[in-house]
Amino acid sequence: MPPTPTAKPAFLFDLDGTLIDSVYEHVLAWREALREMQIELSTWRIHRRVGMSDGLMVTALQRETGRKLTKEETERLKRLHSEAFLKRVAQVRPLPGARELLSTLSRLSVPWAIATSGVEERAREAVKILDVGPEVQLITRNDVAHGKPFPDLFLAGAKRLKVDINDCIVVGDSIWDLLAARRARALGVGLLCGGYGQDELVQAGAYRVYEDPVELTRHIDELGVQADL
Amino acid sequence: MPPTPTAKPAFLFDLDGTLIDSVYEHVLAWREALREMQIELSTWRIHRRVGMSDGLMVTALQRETGRKLTKEETERLKRLHSEAFLKRVAQVRPLPGARELLSTLSRLSVPWAIATSGVEERAREAVKILDVGPEVQLITRNDVAHGKPFPDLFLAGAKRLKVDINDCIVVGDSIWDLLAARRARALGVGLLCGGYGQDELVQAGAYRVYEDPVELTRHIDELGVQADL
């Protein structure tokens, strides 16, 4: 009997905090938006929520502050966050090794896509700094009914790549990525470069945790990719 | 034989990330200063260094970037960080429960002091938002030969309070506080409100980890303080 064939894996990347160094900008943009609406929340609590869909984030913030927002207030908060983030986007850099990781995968013909809870316009703008060209497979909040930690974004990514989700490796910096990966039945890999602690990522189900894209690339054999690095 | 008397504990608090919500301002101030000097370092790596003395931080950054700074460049970097922080200091708020915790301790006649790796001028400015009055016992980098994780700041704090360091509880948000507490032979208690992960604090020797000053106050009996909350 021949051995069970194992498909080559495909990669689904989160964007903020995974490929680009933008988490701290998002944290301060949310804080600015919240203060604009007279809502005070500790900065670290906002940090722990970045990476969720904006809608779920607002729900979580409401629970933590005990203040209920109307639909109009919620929309205003999201808009204020987007504006405050765009003011800071010029400060955002690619994370070390992100560009090289993506070009290595492309060279090895390993399929990959980017799946972010962010909205299309903001994500297109942010992806530019990765120099990946307009042909990049980008799945955003606009393509799905629910953001992370729902599995929708990663399921849509697998579909876009025409790869079984079971053969996909999800790479993300936040527990929301890892929870979404588990719900999607993909393998989740954590990165520390979004500023979360290692234990939070392991507890959320990370198969492996690396510091950043540089370290992931150096250990890519552990994820089943035969690279000639 | 009478039972061994146990002294009432005294508290030595870190400032940034423990009593005031200023860690993210420090992170971005360091990043701005580094970029001004054409040094690129991921934001999360800077975050993991906040709370060390400026001098040790610069040494650590040199190792991580592989670039050696001259004495003049080091002084310039520290100055740029201070300037960039002071630009942001108006955004800094007390952490939830910080003022109440300090006034509770004062009311109960539990001695407490603030011991920070920051320089005197910056610390005096930052302490103002805690409304503690000029009589606060504040130990800064200017009072000791070495900042955290050296034990000097906490040892000086105990001396100032005229309390045995073995009866002191050090409260801090970073592993540098907890390492300094261990070297000083004080009991270290961690807070999550600086944005570090729980495991990092426990691994660095935290006796207990609370979310923020509110949660610490609610559990202050666990630290040997009989409060009538």
Side-chain angles (χ1 to χ4, degrees):
Chain A
M1 212 169 82
T4 313
T6 313
K8 219 166 160 175
F11 283 77
L12 301 172
F13 292 100
D14 167 54
L15 178 60
D16 294 294
T18 298
L19 296 174
I20 64 175
D21 192 358
S22 54
V23 167
Y24 293 74
E25 271 68 30
H26 275 296
V27 170
L28 293 189
W30 276 111
R31 199 182 69 181
E32 186 180 321
L34 287 162
R35 286 189 181 166
E36 184 89 15
M37 296 183 69
Q38 273 76 51
I39 302 171
E40 284 290 335
L41 195 64
S42 306
T43 320
W44 75 284
R45 290 193 191 272
I46 301 173
H47 189 176
R48 263 39 193 181
R49 296 289 169 190
V50 165
M52 293 180 124
S53 76
D54 287 4
L56 288 174
M57 176 140 184
V58 171
T59 306
L61 299 181
Q62 288 185 81
R63 185 179 57 238
E64 295 197 3
T65 58
R67 177 168 154 190
K68 183 93 189 85
L69 299 181
T70 64
K71 212 177 156 200
E72 290 69 36
E73 286 176 317
T74 301
E75 287 312 308
R76 177 156 176 250
L77 180 61
K78 290 200 239 173
R79 188 167 41 73
L80 288 170
H81 161 254
S82 265
E83 288 167 12
F85 179 73
L86 287 174
K87 271 199 298 187
R88 292 170 167 84
V89 78
Q91 299 299 323
V92 175
R93 306 278 184 275
L95 278 158
R99 288 173 178 162
E100 296 75 8
L101 170 58
L102 299 179
S103 63
T104 299
L105 294 176
S106 294
R107 186 165 48 78
L108 297 171
S109 304
V110 177
W112 60 270
I114 297 174
T116 172
S117 284
V119 293
E120 171 98 24
E121 184 196 355
R122 210 168 64 202
R124 284 260 164 239
E125 194 59 37
V127 157
K128 279 185 192 162
I129 63 168
L130 289 170
D131 285 342
V132 285
E135 72 281 9
V136 58
Q137 297 291 352
L138 177 66
I139 300 99
T140 72
R141 189 66 186 74
N142 300 51
D143 298 312
V144 294
H146 303 98
K148 301 167 196 170
F150 281 82
D152 306 29
L153 280 158
F154 295 130
L155 293 173
K159 206 170 162 188
R160 183 84 68 82
L161 295 176
K162 300 186 179 64
V163 173
D164 190 318
I165 186 69
N166 294 296
D167 295 322
C168 286
I169 294 173
V170 162
V171 181
D173 69 302
S174 84
I175 62 168
W176 318 114
D177 294 310
L178 295 165
L179 296 179
R182 285 172 78 173
R183 290 191 61 187
R185 305 278 182 265
L187 193 67
V189 168
L191 297 185
L192 295 176
C193 46
Y196 278 82
Q198 165 130 1
D199 65 329
E200 299 171 83
L201 302 177
V202 170
Q203 281 170 24
Y207 162 74
R208 289 290 282 153
V209 176
Y210 303 104
E211 290 196 337
D212 55 17
V214 169
E215 206 202 353
L216 186 153
T217 307
R218 206 179 291 145
H219 293 257
I220 202 158
D221 52 291
E222 296 173 358
L223 306 178
V225 176
Q226 190 62 37
D228 49 344
L229 298 172
Chain B
M1 210 170 80
T4 313
T6 313
K8 221 166 160 175
F11 283 77
L12 301 172
F13 292 100
D14 168 55
L15 179 59
D16 295 294
T18 298
L19 296 173
I20 64 175
D21 192 357
S22 54
V23 167
Y24 293 75
E25 271 69 28
H26 275 296
V27 170
L28 293 190
W30 277 111
R31 199 181 68 181
E32 186 180 319
L34 287 162
R35 285 189 182 165
E36 183 90 15
M37 297 183 66
Q38 273 77 52
I39 302 172
E40 283 291 334
L41 195 64
S42 306
T43 320
W44 74 284
R45 290 193 190 271
I46 301 172
H47 188 176
R48 262 41 193 179
R49 297 288 169 190
V50 166
M52 291 180 125
S53 75
D54 287 5
L56 288 174
M57 175 140 183
V58 171
T59 307
L61 299 181
Q62 288 185 81
R63 184 179 58 237
E64 293 195 5
T65 58
R67 177 168 155 192
K68 184 94 189 85
L69 299 181
T70 64
K71 212 177 156 199
E72 290 69 37
E73 285 175 318
T74 301
E75 287 313 307
R76 180 160 174 248
L77 181 61
K78 290 200 239 171
R79 187 168 41 76
L80 287 170
H81 161 254
S82 265
E83 289 168 10
F85 179 74
L86 288 173
K87 271 199 297 188
R88 291 169 168 85
V89 77
Q91 299 300 320
V92 175
R93 306 278 183 275
L95 278 158
R99 288 172 179 163
E100 296 75 7
L101 170 58
L102 299 179
S103 63
T104 299
L105 293 176
S106 294
R107 186 166 48 78
L108 297 170
S109 305
V110 176
W112 60 269
I114 298 175
T116 171
S117 283
V119 292
E120 172 98 25
E121 184 195 358
R122 210 168 65 203
R124 285 262 162 235
E125 195 58 37
V127 156
K128 280 185 193 162
I129 63 170
L130 288 171
D131 284 342
V132 284
E135 72 281 9
V136 58
Q137 297 291 353
L138 177 66
I139 299 99
T140 71
R141 188 67 184 76
N142 300 51
D143 297 311
V144 293
H146 303 98
K148 301 168 196 168
F150 280 82
D152 306 29
L153 281 159
F154 295 130
L155 292 173
K159 205 169 163 189
R160 184 85 67 85
L161 295 176
K162 299 186 179 65
V163 173
D164 190 319
I165 186 70
N166 293 296
D167 295 321
C168 287
I169 294 174
V170 162
V171 181
D173 69 301
S174 83
I175 61 168
W176 319 116
D177 295 310
L178 295 165
L179 296 179
R182 285 172 79 174
R183 290 191 62 187
R185 304 278 181 267
L187 193 67
V189 167
L191 297 184
L192 295 176
C193 45
Y196 278 81
Q198 166 131 1
D199 64 329
E200 301 170 82
L201 301 178
V202 171
Q203 282 170 23
Y207 162 75
R208 289 290 283 152
V209 176
Y210 302 104
E211 290 195 338
D212 55 17
V214 169
E215 206 202 353
L216 186 154
T217 307
R218 206 180 292 144
H219 294 256
I220 203 157
D221 52 290
E222 298 173 358
L223 306 179
V225 175
Q226 190 63 37
D228 48 345
L229 298 173

